[in-house]
Amino acid sequence: LLLRPPPPPPPLPPPPLPPPPQFPQTPSAQASPSPRASNPPMNLLQTAAPGPGPLAGAERAAALGLPPTTPNASEHAVRELMAMAREKLQQIRAKLGLQVASIGSEVRVVRVRAKGPAETAGVRVNDVVHYFDGRPIRSVDDFEQQLQHIVPGQDTVIEVQRNGHGHSIPVRAGAHVLQAQYQALQRIAAGEIHAGDAQLLSRVR
């Protein structure tokens, strides 16, 4: 019998590769963090910081030229300005820019101020006043008393007779102060304080 030689052994697997060499890093070779790495990530939904709002507290007092000496000094100054504005508003009377007089049994317009509320509305000299703001007018006192119930800026109606014809004339009452000053007084009285309001109050007579 012929004997067959045994098969050759399988090839051995290759030896594992050696690990890569580890070189120590010097301080100069270490990666330095990015300047932005220390900053927190930006919130894309974050809105911009709001701008300066209304003057309040010590800032409001400083803007008014009233430096606070106590924590509540600024609020005290604001309350004083509000009280002054309210007092001035009570002292301001409505003006129509006309003068009436009793002539016989009639109350007639004897003078109209140029470019005043009455002339602008269409009131004329010698108009006989019958009604003012819905109230009958029989004397100069009736007219003056009714005028005291009118506030500046209020719309009212003067009913007159002219050349035998009746006229209903809408008039917007004015005041002896400028409209801008009157509106500023209303604003201050409501507690809305702006820089320079203390000086403004001193100018309104």
Side-chain angles (χ1 to χ4, degrees), residues 54 78 80 90 99 102 109 115 127-128 131 158 161 169 187 190-191 194 197:
V78 169
E80 284 189 346
Q90 292 176 354
Q99 182 179 352
S102 294
V109 178
K115 298 181 180 181
D127 284 349
V128 180
Y131 290 89
I158 300 177
Q161 185 176 9
I169 305 175
R187 172 179 54 77
H194 294 176
D197 281 348

Coordinates of all heavy atoms in Angstrom, one line a residue, residues 54 78 80 90 99 102 109 115 127-128 131 158 161 169 187 190-191 194 197:
P54 N -39.5 104.6 30.8 CA -39.8 105.8 31.5 C -38.9 106.1 32.7 O -38.5 105.2 33.3 CB -41.3 105.7 31.9 CG -41.8 104.6 31.0 CD -40.6 103.7 30.8
V78 N -42.2 113.6 42.8 CA -43.2 113.4 41.7 C -44.6 113.7 42.2 O -45.4 114.3 41.5 CB -43.0 111.9 41.3 CG1 -44.2 111.5 40.4 CG2 -41.7 111.7 40.5
E80 N -45.4 115.8 44.5 CA -45.5 117.3 44.5 C -45.8 117.9 43.2 O -46.6 118.8 43.0 CB -44.2 117.9 45.1 CG -44.1 117.7 46.6 CD -43.0 118.5 47.2 OE1 -42.1 119.0 46.4 OE2 -42.9 118.7 48.4
Q90 N -57.0 123.2 37.9 CA -58.3 123.7 38.5 C -58.4 125.2 38.3 O -59.5 125.7 38.2 CB -58.3 123.3 39.9 CG -58.5 121.8 40.2 CD -58.5 121.4 41.6 OE1 -58.2 122.2 42.5 NE2 -58.7 120.1 41.9
Q99 N -67.0 138.4 24.5 CA -67.6 139.2 25.6 C -69.1 139.5 25.3 O -69.4 139.9 24.2 CB -66.8 140.5 25.9 CG -67.3 141.3 27.1 CD -66.5 142.5 27.3 OE1 -65.5 142.8 26.6 NE2 -67.0 143.4 28.2
S102 N -75.6 142.7 28.6 CA -77.0 142.8 28.5 C -77.4 144.1 27.9 O -77.1 145.2 28.4 CB -77.6 142.7 30.0 OG -77.4 141.4 30.5
V109 N -73.5 139.6 22.0 CA -72.0 139.5 21.9 C -71.6 140.9 21.5 O -72.0 141.5 20.4 CB -71.6 138.5 20.8 CG1 -70.1 138.5 20.6 CG2 -72.1 137.1 21.2
K115 N -59.2 135.5 15.9 CA -58.7 134.2 15.8 C -58.9 133.4 17.0 O -58.3 132.3 17.3 CB -57.2 134.2 15.5 CG -56.8 134.8 14.1 CD -55.3 134.8 13.9 CE -55.0 135.5 12.5 NZ -53.6 135.5 12.2
D127 N -74.5 139.2 17.7 CA -75.3 138.0 17.8 C -76.0 138.0 19.2 O -75.4 138.3 20.2 CB -74.4 136.7 17.7 CG -74.0 136.5 16.3 OD1 -74.5 137.1 15.4 OD2 -73.1 135.6 16.1
V128 N -77.3 137.6 19.2 CA -78.1 137.5 20.4 C -78.0 136.1 20.9 O -78.4 135.1 20.2 CB -79.5 137.9 20.2 CG1 -80.3 137.8 21.5 CG2 -79.6 139.3 19.7
Y131 N -79.0 130.3 23.9 CA -78.6 129.1 24.7 C -77.1 128.9 24.6 O -76.5 129.2 23.6 CB -79.3 127.8 24.1 CG -80.8 127.8 24.3 CD1 -81.7 128.3 23.4 CD2 -81.3 127.2 25.4 CE1 -83.0 128.3 23.6 CE2 -82.7 127.1 25.6 CZ -83.5 127.7 24.7 OH -84.9 127.6 24.9
I158 N -73.2 127.2 21.0 CA -73.8 128.5 21.3 C -74.9 128.7 20.3 O -74.7 128.7 19.1 CB -72.8 129.6 21.3 CG1 -71.7 129.4 22.3 CG2 -73.5 131.0 21.6 CD1 -70.6 130.5 22.3
Q161 N -79.2 134.3 17.7 CA -80.0 134.8 16.6 C -79.3 136.0 15.9 O -78.8 136.9 16.6 CB -81.4 135.3 17.2 CG -82.4 135.8 16.2 CD -83.7 136.2 16.8 OE1 -83.8 136.3 18.1 NE2 -84.7 136.5 16.0
I169 N -74.1 127.2 16.7 CA -72.7 127.3 16.4 C -71.8 126.4 17.3 O -71.8 126.7 18.5 CB -72.2 128.7 16.5 CG1 -73.1 129.6 15.6 CG2 -70.7 128.8 16.1 CD1 -72.7 131.1 15.7
R187 N -50.8 115.6 31.5 CA -49.9 114.5 31.6 C -49.2 114.4 32.9 O -49.1 113.3 33.5 CB -48.9 114.6 30.4 CG -47.7 113.6 30.5 CD -46.7 113.8 29.4 NE -46.2 115.2 29.3 CZ -45.3 115.7 30.1 NH1 -44.8 114.9 31.1 NH2 -44.8 116.9 29.9
A190 N -51.4 113.2 35.7 CA -51.6 111.7 35.6 C -50.4 110.9 36.1 O -50.5 109.7 36.1 CB -52.1 111.3 34.2
G191 N -49.3 111.6 36.4 CA -48.1 110.9 36.9 C -47.1 110.5 35.8 O -46.1 109.8 36.1
H194 N -41.8 113.8 32.7 CA -40.7 114.0 31.7 C -39.6 114.9 32.3 O -39.9 115.8 33.1 CB -41.2 114.5 30.3 CG -42.1 113.5 29.7 ND1 -42.7 113.8 28.5 CD2 -42.5 112.2 30.0 CE1 -43.4 112.7 28.1 NE2 -43.3 111.8 29.0
D197 N -40.1 119.0 33.4 CA -41.4 119.3 33.8 C -41.5 120.3 35.0 O -42.4 121.1 35.1 CB -42.2 118.0 34.2 CG -42.7 117.2 33.0 OD1 -42.6 117.8 31.9 OD2 -43.1 116.1 33.2

